[in-house]
């Protein structure tokens, strides 16, 4: 926890620099002393924008990290958490723990200094307090989800005052609900112009519904999600699914909560590097790829199953080259009529991507033998491995000029996710109602696949879960679904995490292992070394 104050002191030195750019456009500014921050509207706004910058830094990697942990994506060679070969010193366990507490300290500082502050315009002060309470609630939502019982901090504290015991998950939940209700009462429905991307009332309602859903209070979750159906919020599905993941069409009515990105150093998204391959303009590292599970989740556009039984098998061929000559056309033909979301999410073998220097590349096999073809093979960072590269979030052509700073915003909650959570909450609390089917079918209709009807509660539950995988892969959400459904520790081929990870030849790359202890993350050992009052989660 000592790290928090150092990071706070650094992050507070960010400032909005140009009116024509969004509020996240900041450059370093070191002329404001800490004693002057809360003395006028201008300086206070800089502090709030610093809080948003910390939020961006915490959540911009959210899809990359958590999609690798879920069955929707993978690191081609596996990782310690995914293979149950880690301990309480795991870097991600500490990174997110300290990141969330850094956000909490930003929020607590803002709340304490803006409350009854006569130097601040009252309306602005109340709005900023509401934004800070949303920030604190968001951080505690993920602390509760990943670590369960955690320390509650509601006031700015010095490092030596943070040696506290963990509060119960129920107490954390009470704080989250209180903060979100306070935020809902103050936050506007929307922000315009340069303030686009700030936290809104709809985001607070969606997070409150998500909290109830995760805790299986389905009736309360449904009631919150139903509020977002009101016309005044203006949420709707965009016509084209792929438009959700392009900076050219990102400010749309499907956005509920997002991480804003611009193509400037330190202010962009890293997905041309994390998801992209060497053939994209950024020469990406392919840190994450789509999974065999994701590919198999999709149906044809007419709703019929895609038949995998006639896939060419490697053992029937004398070498990889001959195998690839049949395998790639098989993919190309087999998926030409697939659910269009698949091709928006993944570069399927046999399909193309406009990459570096606006050249058209195709995912081919083996890479080396096809690198110089008239349509050159798409190269991941691991060309000797048959991987499913992500298309989602990767900038085509030369629209992004910076390797680590793509201009594409990263959605944390979008309306399609809300509709599917709403359908789930209704099905679990009221049964397979017309409203549940309507929410689900709105997402399916946008995807161009047939609507469903007449399913039992169990059948609808399975359908909603599968729809979440089809709609949300690579966005860092499905892993949390697998945790809350308690399916992660099973060998279910779709919803479990105990199975082989396969390449696009159907050959195993490595084996996932998800024991019972992994449902909760370890309290970082470095934090326990600083605070001997911190107990550890079971199994760590």
């Amino acid at each position: 926890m000592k790290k928090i104050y150092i990071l706070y002191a650094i992050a507070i030195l960010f400032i909005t620099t140009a009116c024509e750019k969004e509020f996240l456009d900041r450059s370093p500014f070191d002329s404001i002393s800490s004693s002057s921050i809360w003395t006028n509207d201008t300086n206070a706004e800089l502090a709030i924008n610093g809080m948003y910058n910390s939020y961006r830094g915490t959540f911009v990697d959210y899809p990359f990290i958590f999609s690798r942990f879920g069955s929707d994506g993978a690191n081609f060679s596996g990782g310690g958490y995914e293979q149950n070969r880690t301990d309480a010193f795991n870097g991600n366990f500490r990174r997110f723990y300290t990141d969330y507490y850094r956000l909490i300290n930003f929020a607590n500082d803002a709340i304490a200094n803006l409350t009854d502050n006569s130097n601040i315009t009252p309306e602005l002060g109340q709005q900023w307090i509401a934004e800070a309470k949303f920030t604190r609630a968001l951080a505690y939502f993920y602390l509760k989800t990943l670590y369960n019982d955690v320390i509650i901090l509601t006031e700015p504290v010095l490092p030596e005052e943070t040696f506290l015991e963990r509060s119960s998950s129920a107490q954390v939940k009470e704080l989250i609900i209180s903060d979100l209700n306070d935020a809902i009462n103050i936050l506007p429905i929307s922000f315009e112009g340069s303030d686009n991307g700030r936290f809104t009332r709809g985001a607070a309602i969606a997070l409150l519904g998500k909290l109830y859903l995760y805790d299986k209070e389905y009736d309360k979750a449904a009631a919150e999600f139903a509020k977002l159906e009101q016309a005044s919020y203006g949420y709707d599905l965009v016509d084209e699914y792929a438009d959700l993941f392009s900076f050219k069409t990102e400010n749309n009515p499907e956005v509920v909560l997002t991480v804003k990105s611009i193509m400037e150093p330190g202010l962009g998204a890293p997905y041309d590097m994390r998801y992209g391959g060497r053939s994209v303009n950024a020469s990406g590292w392919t840190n994450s790829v789509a999974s065999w599970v994701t590919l198999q989740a999709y149906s044809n556009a007419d709703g019929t199953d895609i038949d995998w039984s006639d896939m060419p098998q490697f053992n029937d061929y004398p070498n990889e080259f001959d195998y690839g000559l049949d395998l790639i056309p098989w993919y190309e033909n087999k998926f030409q009529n697939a659910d269009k979301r698949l091709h928006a999410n993944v570069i399927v073998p046999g399909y193309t991507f406009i990459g570096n220097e606006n050249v058209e590349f195709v995912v081919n096999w083996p890479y080396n033998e096809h690198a110089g073809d008239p349509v050159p093979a798409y190269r991941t960072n691991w060309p000797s491995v048959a991987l499913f590269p992500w298309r989602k979030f990767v900038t085509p052509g030369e629209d992004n000029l910076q390797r680590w700073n793509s201009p594409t915003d990263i959605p944390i909650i979008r309306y399609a996710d809300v509709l599917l959570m709403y359908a789930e909450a209704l099905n679990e609390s009221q049964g397979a109602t017309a409203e549940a089917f309507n929410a689900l079918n709105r997402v399916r209709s946008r995807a161009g696949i047939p609507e469903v009807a007449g399913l039992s509660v169990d059948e609808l539950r399975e359908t909603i879960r599968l729809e979440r995988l089809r709609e949300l892969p690579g966005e860092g959400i499905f892993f949390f679904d697998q945790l809350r459904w308690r399916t992660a520790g099973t060998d279910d081929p779709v919803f479990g995490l105990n199975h082989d990870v396969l390449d696009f030849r159907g050959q195993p790359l490595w084996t996932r292992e998800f024991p019972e202890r992994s449902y909760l993350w370890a309290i970082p050992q470095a934090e326990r070394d600083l605070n001997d009052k911190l107990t550890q989660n079971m199994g760590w």
Side-chain angles (χ1 to χ4, degrees):
M1 300 285 273
K2 293 182 178 179
K3 181 187 292 187
I4 291 171
Y5 272 78
I6 298 172
L7 292 172
Y8 171 79
I10 294 172
I12 203 67
L13 304 177
F14 284 87
I15 181 174
T16 301
T17 59
C19 294
E20 69 274 12
K21 295 183 180 179
E22 298 183 20
F23 76 101
L24 287 180
D25 180 14
R26 287 180 287 276
S27 61
F29 185 80
D30 58 6
S31 62
I32 300 177
S33 67
S34 59
S35 62
S36 301
I37 290 172
W38 305 106
T39 58
N40 58 63
D41 291 350
T42 300
N43 288 356
E45 184 173 23
L46 300 183
I48 294 299
N49 287 352
M51 179 183 73
Y52 274 100
N53 189 65
S54 183
Y55 155 74
R56 194 197 71 81
T58 299
F59 281 89
V60 75
D61 264 347
Y62 171 100
F64 158 63
I65 297 292
F66 293 110
S67 290
R68 297 200 316 175
F69 293 162
S71 61
D72 51 322
N75 174 345
F76 94 93
S77 61
Y81 177 68
E82 303 97 293
Q83 294 177 288
N84 191 31
R85 50 179 179 81
T86 192
D87 55 26
F89 292 93
N90 182 288
N92 280 315
F93 294 170
R94 192 178 192 205
R95 171 194 169 179
F96 283 99
Y97 187 91
T98 55
D99 277 358
Y100 295 141
Y101 273 110
R102 181 176 65 246
L103 275 175
I104 289 164
N105 263 317
F106 266 111
N108 287 342
D109 197 56
I111 294 166
N113 284 286
L114 290 168
T115 300
D116 299 324
N117 187 335
S118 60
N119 295 314
I120 305 297
T121 300
E123 293 78 10
L124 286 175
Q126 288 302 306
Q127 175 190 305
W128 291 333
I129 288 173
E131 291 175 61
K133 286 191 173 182
F134 177 86
T135 301
R136 186 167 68 185
L138 183 67
Y140 270 120
F141 173 83
Y142 283 102
L143 282 169
K144 175 182 181 299
T145 301
L146 292 171
Y147 305 94
N148 200 37
D149 301 340
V150 292
I151 293 172
I152 290 179
L153 299 176
T154 57
E155 297 178 358
V157 291
L158 296 173
E160 58 267 24
E161 297 174 320
T162 63
F163 300 124
L164 305 173
E165 295 180 352
R166 300 164 70 184
S167 295
S168 71
S169 177
Q171 291 171 309
V172 176
K173 181 178 179 179
E174 288 178 6
L175 174 62
I176 297 170
I177 293 171
S178 176
D179 277 349
L180 289 176
N181 281 325
D182 287 349
I184 289 166
N185 289 331
I186 299 296
L187 289 175
I189 286 178
S190 64
F191 286 98
E192 303 298 331
S194 62
D195 281 333
N196 180 274
R198 302 187 90 93
F199 304 140
T200 63
R201 187 183 309 168
I205 291 171
L207 184 60
L208 183 56
K210 194 169 182 175
L211 174 71
Y212 287 134
L213 184 74
Y214 276 38
D215 273 6
K216 296 181 172 52
E217 294 188 74
Y218 297 114
D219 53 344
K220 292 182 179 179
E224 295 303 323
F225 295 137
K227 296 174 183 176
L228 301 181
E229 295 289 272
Q230 299 173 26
S232 58
Y233 286 96
Y235 294 123
D236 202 359
L237 300 178
V238 301
D239 291 337
E240 291 297 328
Y241 176 82
D243 286 348
L244 293 163
F245 315 109
S246 169
F247 70 95
K248 297 177 181 179
T249 49
E250 60 194 7
N251 293 320
N252 59 67
E254 193 160 335
V255 174
V256 178
L257 177 64
T258 190
V259 175
K260 302 298 290 182
S261 298
I262 57 176
M263 193 170 55
E264 293 192 10
L267 297 174
Y271 289 87
D272 285 356
M273 292 296 293
R274 297 296 197 196
Y275 282 5
R278 292 297 187 181
S279 296
V280 308
N281 198 44
S283 188
W285 290 351
T286 327
N287 297 128
S288 175
V289 294
S291 70
W292 176 274
V293 174
T294 293
L295 266 287
Q296 289 210 314
Y298 287 99
S299 69
N300 288 308
D302 63 4
T304 59
D305 291 338
I306 293 173
D307 180 12
W308 287 73
S309 65
D310 58 354
M311 176 181 172
Q313 300 299 309
F314 173 71
N315 290 337
D316 295 334
Y317 294 84
N319 54 59
E320 294 280 7
F321 180 79
D322 288 347
Y323 179 43
L325 292 179
D326 280 351
L327 179 64
I328 298 303
W330 178 87
Y331 269 106
E332 186 177 6
N333 293 327
K334 187 65 68 171
F335 291 93
Q336 62 182 336
N337 297 316
D339 180 335
K340 62 183 179 181
R341 291 174 297 185
L342 170 59
H343 293 293
N345 289 322
V346 183
I347 313 174
V348 177
Y351 287 82
T352 61
F353 182 86
I354 304 300
N356 189 33
E357 298 182 348
N358 291 315
V359 170
E360 184 178 55
F361 296 87
V362 63
V363 175
N364 215 330
W365 184 256
Y367 168 79
N368 287 332
E369 283 82 347
H370 297 282
D373 285 0
V375 179
Y378 181 94
R379 185 184 187 277
T380 69
N381 199 46
W382 321 101
S384 63
V385 187
L387 302 174
F388 294 112
W390 288 114
R391 190 187 300 272
K392 176 176 279 183
F393 298 133
V394 181
T395 311
E398 298 187 300
D399 284 333
N400 178 26
L401 304 178
Q402 294 200 11
R403 299 188 77 192
W404 288 97
N405 293 285
S406 162
T408 301
D409 291 351
I410 304 301
I412 303 301
I413 302 176
R414 52 185 179 86
Y415 187 54
D417 183 11
V418 170
L419 287 173
L420 293 175
M421 290 191 290
Y422 185 35
E424 180 180 348
L426 288 170
N427 186 52
E428 299 297 340
S429 61
Q430 301 176 30
T433 63
E435 292 85 357
F437 281 108
N438 178 63
L440 168 63
N441 284 330
R442 288 176 67 183
V443 177
R444 291 175 66 91
S445 294
R446 192 263 299 274
I449 60 175
E451 296 185 356
V452 294
L455 304 179
S456 69
V457 168
D458 290 344
E459 291 169 336
L460 183 55
R461 178 186 301 120
E462 188 84 359
T463 301
I464 292 168
R465 290 182 177 185
L466 187 60
E467 203 62 39
R468 290 186 65 77
L469 175 55
R470 293 167 169 173
E471 178 72 19
L472 302 165
E475 296 181 49
I477 295 172
F478 197 66
F479 169 69
F480 290 101
D481 289 338
Q482 293 174 282
L483 293 184
R484 66 186 179 87
W485 294 331
R486 301 293 292 185
T487 60
T490 72
D491 59 2
D492 184 283
V494 178
F495 305 116
L497 288 173
N498 287 319
H499 55 71
D500 287 339
V501 173
L502 307 179
D503 67 12
F504 69 61
R505 302 171 305 160
Q507 301 301 306
L509 293 170
W510 50 276
T511 301
R512 288 189 184 275
E513 185 178 344
F514 194 96
E516 183 69 20
R517 70 170 187 168
S518 289
Y519 278 107
L520 289 178
W521 281 11
I523 300 298
Q525 188 58 46
E527 299 299 318
R528 297 189 68 222
D529 290 342
L530 293 171
N531 179 4
D532 59 12
K533 294 183 179 180
L534 281 177
T535 56
Q536 185 55 276
N537 283 328
M538 186 176 298
W540 295 102

